[in-house]
Amino acid sequence: MASSWALLAAVLLTTHAVAAVSGTRAAADATRLPSSEPGFREAPAFRNGDGCPPRGAGERVHIAMTLDANYLRGTVAAVFSILQHTACPEDVSFHFLAARRRDADAVRATFPYLDPSVYIFDPARVSGRISRSVRHALDQPLNYARIYLADTLPRAVRRVIYLDSDVVVVDDVRKLWSVDLDAGGGHVVAAPEYCHTNFTKYFTDAFWSDPRLSATFRQGPHRRRRPCYFNTGVMVIDVARWRAGGYSRRVEEWMAVQKEEKRIYSLGSLPPFLLVLAGEIMPVDHRWNQHGLGGDNAEGRCRSLHPGPISLLHWSGKGKPWLRLDTRKPCTVDYLWEPYDLYKAAAATAIEE
């Protein structure tokens, strides 16, 4: 637990330091949104530091996220953390896949200096392919929207960082962006990889007992694929290679096996990604996905931080920090998320206390 409090202090110090370098402007007014929608304080305007290229001359960092009413508070916190910790925030472009346009309006009101691209995701595109998982939240169509990023983004976007809505970034996101996807012959996806995880638990006995299906991970003289777990909440994707390789269709094919033949997994959109890409991604330092902070998918019990440096905190699992803070039953790690919470009601509660 001591390491968690130490990280909290470091996060707060870094926040103030980056704000000073980027020339942030404190916002005085809260956003005014319809009473039926969550209201967020307006974020400060983040400007490029002195070491950044002239505006329009530097490489743009493209970040894609989903916008869901149930996770909107998390998305706002994630965007705030990204802008706060990068030295060149004006060179970051955000792409949002939304279920409804009003959620995008809330983000625009909170970050009026951004010019995000918003794409309305049609749930009918995937709803007929979804099978029941261990948690209802994992069955929502937007949870599968990442499969279709390459079909959604403009052709000019050749690389994108996909992030879940329950993360905060405490390092310069340009470091993650700069991963070399061309190394080793070229990769479609880069992400932190975990080869010591018990990989068998992500699939059912029906999968492993079927020689035809389990052969996808079988190694042989002409197959060097080593199945390793990776979390799909943090991925760097070569969009052009994804399109060229037909990866959306390949993921859909495994979803069809699950839906139409036999139940081969229980964890929503993650297993079909693993079936297509596990063992073939470009590994990224583990500091870029300190995942599992939301506990398991059933109970969501508190978890401690893993040892080592941290660049991104991820509340994957059932427990979300905003819900635990609101019910006054937070885990220690939830206090690391709290400085990025722009929700007005949360700020009013803090003042009252």
Side-chain angles (χ1 to χ4, degrees):
M1 292 298 183
S3 62
S4 300
W5 289 109
L7 178 60
L8 175 57
V11 167
L12 293 173
L13 287 172
T14 305
T15 294
H16 292 302
V18 173
V21 171
S22 302
T24 59
R25 178 183 63 81
D29 301 323
T31 58
R32 292 178 173 82
L33 299 171
S35 57
S36 60
E37 298 297 320
F40 299 95
R41 305 190 307 281
E42 184 179 301
F46 293 90
R47 303 303 184 193
N48 282 359
D50 294 337
C52 298
R55 189 168 185 179
E59 182 183 16
R60 299 207 66 80
V61 174
H62 294 278
I63 297 176
M65 303 180 73
T66 58
L67 288 178
D68 181 283
N70 294 321
Y71 291 85
L72 186 58
R73 190 167 162 187
T75 303
V76 168
V79 172
F80 189 34
S81 71
I82 292 165
L83 295 174
Q84 205 166 51
H85 288 283
T86 181
C88 303
E90 292 179 275
D91 294 337
V92 179
S93 293
F94 287 91
H95 302 263
F96 294 115
L97 285 76
R100 53 183 192 170
R101 199 164 296 280
R102 72 174 87 174
D103 294 331
D105 293 340
V107 173
R108 286 195 177 101
T110 307
F111 302 98
Y113 310 99
L114 293 182
D115 185 22
S117 299
V118 178
Y119 317 89
I120 301 302
F121 180 73
D122 183 3
R125 184 167 190 177
V126 73
S127 56
R129 307 178 193 274
I130 297 173
S131 56
R132 182 177 52 83
S133 67
V134 295
R135 190 157 58 89
H136 178 66
L138 299 177
D139 301 338
Q140 303 310 301
L142 263 182
N143 193 44
Y144 292 81
R146 71 196 82 185
I147 298 171
Y148 305 102
L149 267 177
D151 304 327
T152 305
L153 296 173
R155 291 280 169 170
V157 178
R158 300 189 63 83
R159 172 184 292 212
V160 68
I161 297 174
Y162 174 81
L163 296 176
D164 273 350
S165 297
D166 51 2
V167 310
V168 293
V169 179
V170 294
D171 200 347
D172 195 326
V173 74
R174 295 179 305 162
K175 298 177 184 177
L176 179 60
W177 175 261
S178 65
V179 61
D180 186 5
L181 280 166
D182 294 325
H187 296 270
V188 178
V189 169
E193 187 179 53
Y194 304 87
C195 292
H196 299 294
T197 301
N198 180 7
F199 196 78
T200 60
K201 69 180 181 179
Y202 294 101
F203 303 96
T204 65
D205 291 341
F207 172 83
W208 293 114
S209 62
D210 187 324
R212 176 179 61 92
L213 299 179
S214 60
T216 189
F217 294 125
R218 189 172 299 133
Q219 300 182 56
H222 304 292
R223 188 175 182 85
R224 303 170 64 182
R225 184 179 183 186
R226 180 187 181 191
C228 297
Y229 165 80
F230 70 96
N231 183 281
T232 56
V234 180
M235 296 185 290
V236 184
I237 303 172
D238 186 307
V239 180
R241 285 178 183 151
W242 183 283
R243 292 192 193 106
Y247 281 84
S248 295
R249 174 186 52 79
R250 292 167 65 178
V251 173
E252 286 179 340
E253 287 172 352
W254 280 111
M255 293 171 65
V257 172
Q258 164 85 346
K259 185 78 172 179
E260 300 167 11
E261 295 186 31
K262 62 178 69 176
R263 189 169 177 81
I264 58 174
Y265 56 79
S266 301
L267 281 175
S269 64
L270 169 64
F273 266 88
L274 296 178
L275 286 161
V276 173
L277 288 160
E280 297 183 350
I281 69 169
M282 169 60 67
V284 174
D285 194 296
H286 290 174
R287 68 188 300 152
W288 282 103
N289 196 351
Q290 175 84 218
H291 66 282
L293 301 183
D296 58 61
N297 278 298
E299 301 294 336
R301 294 191 179 96
C302 293
R303 288 185 177 173
S304 300
L305 297 173
H306 305 300
I310 297 171
S311 294
L312 183 147
L313 297 148
H314 186 185
W315 278 261
S316 56
K318 184 177 182 180
K320 302 306 173 188
W322 55 91
L323 297 177
R324 295 194 296 214
L325 287 163
D326 284 355
T327 56
R328 302 190 181 185
K329 297 178 180 178
C331 299
T332 302
V333 294
D334 298 339
Y335 292 111
L336 303 176
W337 180 89
E338 192 174 25
Y340 305 101
D341 187 13
L342 295 176
Y343 187 47
K344 286 194 297 186
T349 301
I351 292 172
E352 289 171 2
E353 292 179 347

